Amino acid sequence: MEDINAIAKQFVDFYYATFSSGRSNLSALYRPNSMLTFEGTPIKGVDAVIEKLVSLPFQKVQHKITTLDAQPSSATMDVASLIVSVTGLLVVDDSENPLNFSQVFQLYPEGRTYYVLNDIFRLNYG
C-alpha cells in the first residue's frame, strides 16, 4: 500500500488547486453515490455537488492548509479507502479576514485512483 499521507497530500493539493481555478472541474472527483455535507446541508450526487460548489458566492478563493491528517478507513485492507481531515484558512475575494474551515474527505479507490465518496465542509467560527 502506498503511503497514505502522500496520497492524502497529493489529493488535497489537487483538490484545492482545482477548486481555485475552476470548481466545475471537480466533477471528475465525485460519483453518483458521492455525498457532500456543506455547512450541515446534505447533498448527494456529482451533479448536485458541483452545482453547490459552483454556486458559492465568491469569485476568488485560496485555501491555506494548517493541518492534514489521513487514516485508512476500512476495517480490512480489502478496500483501501482513506479518511482525510483538513483544517485551514480560506481567503475569499482578496478579503483581509480569512475564514477558518475544516473539511473531511472519505476517498474510495477506483482502479488506480480515488474518488470522493464523502465530503464534509464546515466554517469554524469562534
Side-chain angles (χ1 to χ4, degrees):
M1 182 170 94
E2 291 185 56
D3 177 27
I4 62 170
N5 292 314
I7 293 168
K9 179 160 181 11
Q10 182 180 14
F11 168 79
V12 166
D13 289 348
F14 178 80
Y15 183 91
Y16 292 126
T18 304
F19 193 103
S20 295
S21 65
R23 290 172 255 173
S24 63
N25 295 324
L26 291 171
S27 63
L29 296 178
Y30 294 89
R31 300 293 177 270
N33 62 329
S34 296
M35 289 195 63
L36 165 67
T37 300
F38 189 88
E39 290 291 305
T41 302
I43 302 162
K44 184 171 184 182
V46 61
D47 293 337
V49 167
I50 297 307
E51 181 180 322
K52 176 61 180 176
L53 297 179
V54 169
S55 73
L56 294 173
F58 49 79
Q59 299 303 311
K60 293 171 54 180
V61 62
Q62 181 183 11
H63 296 82
K64 296 181 178 184
I65 305 306
T66 306
T67 66
L68 171 62
D69 299 299
Q71 293 182 353
S73 63
S74 177
T76 67
M77 295 319 276
D78 296 342
V79 177
S81 57
L82 304 176
I83 295 283
V84 178
S85 176
V86 179
T87 63
L89 300 171
L90 281 177
V91 179
V92 295
D93 293 331
D94 298 320
S95 171
E96 293 182 16
N97 300 311
L99 304 166
N100 291 303
F101 79 96
S102 63
Q103 193 161 13
V104 176
F105 301 96
Q106 180 173 21
L107 304 181
Y108 201 80
E110 183 177 72
R112 297 177 48 84
T113 64
Y114 290 85
Y115 72 91
V116 178
L117 179 61
N118 301 98
D119 178 352
I120 302 170
F121 176 88
R122 280 279 183 183
L123 291 172
N124 302 318
Y125 301 101

